[in-house]
Amino acid sequence: MAYEVNKNPKETNIPQDEEIIKNNSHSSVKFKYVKLGYHYVISNLLYLIFFFLFIPFVVVPITKQDITQLWNNNYNLLKPNHLSILTLFVFLAMLVSLHISRGKKRVFLVDFACCKPNPSFKTSKTTCVDRIAQYGTFTQQNIEFQKKLFERSGVGDESYLPDSLTNIPPNPTMEKARKEAEDLMFVAIDELLAKTEVLPKDIGILVVNCSVFNPLPSLSATVVNHYKLKEDIVTYNLAGMGCSAGLISIDLAKDLLQVHPNSYALVVSLESLTQNWYCGNDRSMLISNCLFRIGAAAILLSNKRCDSHRSKYELVHVVRTHKGANDKSYRCVYQRDDETGRRGISLSKDLMVVAGEALKTNITTLGPLVLPISEQLLFLASLFGKKVLRMHKIKPYVPDFKLAFEHFCIHAGGRAVLDELEKSLKLSQLHMEPSRMTLYRYGNTSSSSVWYQLAYLEAKGRIKRGDRIWQIGFGSGFKCNSAVWRALRNINPNEEINPWMSEIHKFPVNVLQVSPIIMTNTK
């Protein structure tokens, strides 16, 4: 069953319109095959040139006498001279530089695990609105405002919130916040260690990211203490870097693996909500209440060659974009106190514009690394015509990233973000399915959401050897980060343990544009 958005397009039975649609359909199909043919010709241009250059040698037979004559005529040119020596040195320099460029250690993703919180933490949208009404801190207008946000959020009724928030009165203490973070991390890490059969003492690098909960000692120290990791372990704790911090952690772990041979790196991504639920009446801070939910992911990376045969993926590229130099970008996601002293995260009305600009910058860097030459030439031709020839009527060419990737894991920040990226990247509903279903089932789990999406693809049995996966994360600052993975083997869902497995048969589901919440009493 394909994912569908509930829409009501107008239908028509006019034969003329049907004929026009039919003709347009044929034209689009023809254009599709023309473009596909162009893509294959350009992508294999070197092979075609090589083939045509050697046709004469195949068609016209070369005898032993021809080879002897060729050798005698060119013997003098083969004698050592300054030019030949220089050519030899250039050739050797090219070989050395090629060896150095390929000398980077390969980084493998052995496996990963996502936390499925305790079923007792499941919280429906109706329960959320009911608790909001009982808090006693919101105006009636803002209770209704949040109710409308919940109805349009794209989040379902089985996502998870900590009991410190759903209890009346709420109890957002440091002890509760620490317990929430520990429970999430330990569930994910325990599952990962069981799947990979790696011992805690074998882990040499640890990177933990959590944006808005930063206790002392740090969360990375908490992991070291709980699992009794070795004394010389290299640890980092990333804070305040928003929902894209998970991919920043991957990039940091990748760099560390380049200088620490024969090592395992454990990356843990999570967010804590206990002390970050906003109870004031500044509407710019209320949106996060309706989207963010608890979740965590643990990822094991390795630079050991012996792990290549059992690993799931290889890290191909990480591209990071930071727009923090621009004031509008810097303040579009901003933690602050409101007029009454209540702390929350303010989301600017410019968020979608800022995110679009960050994505554009990111894919401008990523594109040449992953796109086939055919798409790069089309993009350059469009840019040349617009900027150099001043042909302003030409629309900017948007590269077809579907030619570069089989799967897309786009941060489930909210329905509006996903709608905009689906439109901008011209993705299909199937490509967007992992992100939309993750938002629906688990909500916005911040930096761990891209891992819930990859787990969804694995549970569906869609990952095949050689498939390329693009993870995209957005975060405060403002940042847009990308990670590109290549599948090293087919993923058999029957052998997988992940939070989707027991219910994957239920998905995808039809998510309504508006899911009405019926309240019996909001006073």
Side-chain angles (χ1 to χ4, degrees), residues 416-481:
V417 174
L418 298 181
D419 288 346
E420 186 62 30
L421 264 71
E422 179 180 0
K423 179 181 177 182
S424 299
L425 297 176
K426 298 181 180 179
L427 301 179
S428 68
Q429 291 181 356
L430 185 65
H431 290 124
M432 298 300 299
E433 185 182 305
S435 299
R436 293 194 186 277
M437 293 303 100
T438 296
L439 179 64
Y440 177 82
R441 176 62 181 86
Y442 290 96
N444 180 349
T445 60
S446 190
S447 56
S448 65
S449 75
V450 292
W451 298 105
Y452 284 87
Q453 293 162 36
L454 186 54
Y456 180 91
L457 288 167
E458 290 187 352
K460 281 291 185 182
R462 295 179 185 171
I463 302 294
K464 306 300 180 185
R465 182 177 181 179
D467 282 0
R468 298 154 297 179
I469 301 98
W470 183 12
Q471 291 180 323
I472 310 173
F474 296 92
S476 58
F478 190 84
K479 297 179 285 292
C480 175
N481 300 319

Side-chain angles (χ1 to χ4, degrees), residues 111-114 191-192 194-195 312 455 458 492-501:
D111 212 330
F112 68 98
C114 298
E191 183 179 308
L192 177 64
K195 291 167 72 173
K312 287 184 172 180
E458 290 187 352
N492 184 353
N494 297 323
E495 299 174 356
E496 287 303 306
I497 300 174
N498 77 40
W500 294 95
M501 294 310 303

Side-chain angles (χ1 to χ4, degrees), residues 16-32:
Q16 293 179 349
D17 289 346
E18 291 181 354
E19 188 66 28
I20 292 173
I21 293 172
K22 186 177 180 181
N23 291 335
N24 289 340
S25 176
H26 285 312
S27 299
S28 63
V29 169
K30 290 179 180 178
F31 177 75
K32 173 185 175 182

Side-chain angles (χ1 to χ4, degrees), residues 131-132 135-139 142 146 165 170 172 274-282 285-286 288-289 338 340 342-345:
R131 297 298 186 269
I132 285 170
Y135 279 172
T137 60
F138 299 104
T139 65
N142 279 335
Q146 290 179 84
L165 296 179
T274 292
Q275 294 188 321
N276 296 285
W277 188 271
Y278 177 64
C279 293
N281 287 284
D282 186 324
M285 300 185 185
L286 292 175
S288 59
N289 286 357
D338 66 9
T340 64
R342 291 189 174 92
R343 183 169 299 173
I345 298 175

